[in-house]
Amino acid sequence: MSPKTKSAYTVPKLKDFSTNALHKALIEAKLAFSEELLNANSDAAWKVFRDRWMARKNGVLTQINDLWLKTAPKENKREAGQLVNELKQFVEQEISRARGFVDGGAAELAVGLERLDITLPGDRRALGAEHPVIKTMNEIVGVFRNLGYSVEEGPEIETDYYNFEALNFPPNHPARDTQDTLFIANQEAKPLRERLLLRTHTSPVQIRSMEKMKPPVRVVCPGKVHRNDAPDATHSPIFHQVEGLAVDTNITFCDLKGTLDHAMKALFGSSVKTRFYPSFFPFTEPSADVQISCIFCGGKGYRDGGPCRNCKASGWIELLGCGMVDPNVYGFVDYDAKRVSGFAFGMGVERIAILKYGVDDIQLFFNGDVRFLEQFG
Ligand SMILES: [Zn+2]
């Protein structure tokens, strides 16, 4: 009987699961497979053949698994399993071997299946880009690294002690209110200074750094901070800060001014001017806000024949806070306030990114819209 007229192999249901019966079934299946392999002598026939045996849904191997293994009585299961595995390996091996042969119909066809069309366009993988906030943060950190500062990081979940107390915040300071700060729930039983919260600034890292090292200290602390703010165009419950701290003997307000003036010029261009005017922070005394000359109107207060929107026609933009470290803070970290002095400063990374890139809504940084982000690639 020629193979072409013989009816196609169908997986028999087994009633007898004895060793002999299983082996007979296995040999029949192998023979049927080999015969069909030889007859798969066209592109289309090879595909049909391969799918007939390998298809996960209703392929011959799947059927064999269902009809021989799943229905086998407990005592024959082990042997049936071994045979089914053997057949599976045999079929997979022969199919991949048929592809590898140089001669033989199936092999040529298999090569045909894998032929490369070099005129097809390749798969393009879009390049990722640094997020504008991270990019800006790295740029700021880079400016201070060049001045000899080292980088320190700390936990985002802080204790009240590090976030407020050691930074000289009085117990009734409004920042400690839940309206401003996100506290971890159910901690009323703990003493105030041990209660956990999401840090509202990166200043706790300054305290941790001073606990770790003795003066001279020069560190920048980049990181994520949290406030109990509803998101809108200028507010976000999460944002980023870079703070800096320098403590040594004989550090004066002049050093602070020179350092920040240099940093602003490095970030916004050498024509940018800075000015300082009095402010208040619990952990610095005296404290100052720093403004830079408006980068949109060049400090003139007007542009395109009208008042400048960005600086509200004042010619200045408020950018960061700073000051000389309050001597009380040294008491918390065991520094001799009579011998050392230092300054600290802090800036919002998003605020600087908004100015640098002309973004008008802080939410764009966090929405994850690729159309926005890819502009910074
Ligand atoms: Zn302006």
Side-chain angles (χ1 to χ4, degrees):
M1 209 194 315
S2 106
K4 275 182 189 154
T5 55
K6 193 179 163 187
S7 62
Y9 172 75
T10 50
V11 181
K13 276 187 191 154
L14 297 185
K15 288 195 190 93
D16 183 0
F17 285 89
S18 67
T19 307
N20 274 348
L22 282 170
H23 274 273
K24 190 168 165 262
L26 175 74
I27 289 165
E28 275 170 10
K30 278 185 176 177
L31 277 174
F33 171 82
S34 307
E35 210 166 277
E36 288 181 31
L37 174 64
L38 287 174
N39 287 325
N41 50 11
S42 72
D43 244 345
W46 168 263
K47 268 186 199 160
V48 170
F49 162 72
R50 197 188 46 187
D51 289 349
R52 171 169 147 74
W53 282 83
M54 305 281 282
R56 215 156 270 176
K57 201 178 163 191
N58 226 22
V60 173
L61 287 179
T62 307
Q63 289 180 41
I64 284 178
N65 198 59
D66 290 346
L67 290 175
W68 299 0
L69 182 58
K70 285 191 184 160
T71 58
K74 233 182 190 169
E75 63 273 21
N76 304 103
K77 252 218 162 96
R78 200 183 140 87
E79 196 169 17
Q82 282 169 352
L83 288 183
V84 168
N85 273 342
E86 189 190 321
L87 183 66
K88 224 177 180 172
Q89 269 178 16
F90 170 78
V91 167
E92 281 164 5
Q93 210 171 28
E94 289 303 309
I95 282 184
S96 70
R97 202 203 310 244
R99 277 199 188 136
F101 275 146
V102 179
D103 57 352
E108 261 171 45
L109 293 166
V111 170
L113 287 177
E114 289 175 1
R115 203 181 297 135
L116 280 178
D117 182 351
I118 56 165
T119 63
L120 284 172
D123 287 341
R124 246 206 204 164
R125 250 192 216 185
L127 278 181
E130 217 170 18
H131 191 281
V133 169
I134 301 299
K135 191 170 166 178
T136 307
M137 189 151 83
N138 287 341
E139 232 174 284
I140 300 167
V141 167
V143 168
F144 289 98
R145 277 185 105 114
N146 288 344
L147 290 173
Y149 284 67
S150 57
V151 179
E152 286 290 323
E153 288 178 310
E156 277 172 46
I157 299 175
E158 266 297 3
T159 58
D160 182 282
Y161 175 79
Y162 282 107
N163 197 75
F164 292 127
E165 187 181 331
L167 287 159
N168 209 29
F169 280 79
N172 54 355
H173 192 279
R176 278 183 147 135
D177 196 285
T178 49
Q179 285 198 341
D180 289 317
T181 302
L182 295 160
F183 286 88
I184 309 283
N186 305 324
Q187 299 188 93
E188 289 73 17
K190 284 189 193 169
L192 180 65
R193 53 158 51 185
E194 284 172 27
R195 288 183 201 168
L196 296 172
L197 49 85
L198 299 181
R199 68 178 179 193
T200 58
H201 43 194
T202 46
S203 313
V205 188
Q206 301 188 20
I207 300 295
R208 290 175 179 276
S209 303
M210 286 192 277
E211 282 178 344
K212 266 200 311 202
M213 35 190 150
K214 292 282 143 211
V217 171
R218 277 175 188 76
V219 291
V220 269
C221 319
K224 201 186 284 169
V225 301
H226 306 257
R227 302 266 170 98
N228 193 3
D229 278 331
D232 63 26
T234 52
H235 294 84
S236 166
I238 297 177
F239 57 101
H240 298 75
Q241 282 190 332
V242 175
E243 295 200 2
L245 170 75
V247 182
D248 204 343
T249 47
N250 295 323
I251 288 203
T252 68
F253 203 90
C254 276
D255 299 311
L256 170 59
K257 283 186 83 170
T259 303
L260 289 181
D261 189 65
H262 166 82
M264 292 305 113
K265 286 183 162 65
L267 288 170
F268 293 104
S270 55
S271 61
V272 156
K273 295 189 190 73
T274 50
R275 75 175 185 188
F276 292 64
Y277 70 92
S279 182
F280 174 79
F281 303 106
F283 40 94
T284 47
E285 180 61 38
S287 306
D289 281 325
V290 183
Q291 299 183 334
I292 61 166
S293 54
C294 177
I295 53 174
F296 300 98
C297 63
K300 292 196 287 287
Y302 57 87
R303 65 181 165 127
D304 306 331
C308 172
R309 240 170 7 100
N310 301 84
C311 59
K312 298 193 181 87
S314 71
W316 295 92
I317 293 176
E318 197 176 308
L319 205 53
L320 62 136
C322 65
M324 301 305 289
V325 178
D326 191 307
N328 283 347
V329 172
Y330 296 131
F332 287 97
V333 295
D334 232 3
Y335 280 12
D336 183 353
K338 289 200 182 77
R339 276 194 57 240
V340 296
S341 58
F343 61 76
F345 55 85
M347 54 194 99
V349 178
E350 282 79 359
R351 173 114 179 90
I352 290 177
I354 279 171
L355 288 176
K356 275 184 85 89
Y357 298 116
V359 176
D360 52 13
D361 185 344
I362 194 174
Q363 298 306 320
L364 286 167
F365 290 129
F366 305 114
N367 287 345
D369 188 331
V370 176
R371 290 168 304 176
F372 170 73
L373 296 173
E374 67 189 1
Q375 296 174 57
F376 302 92

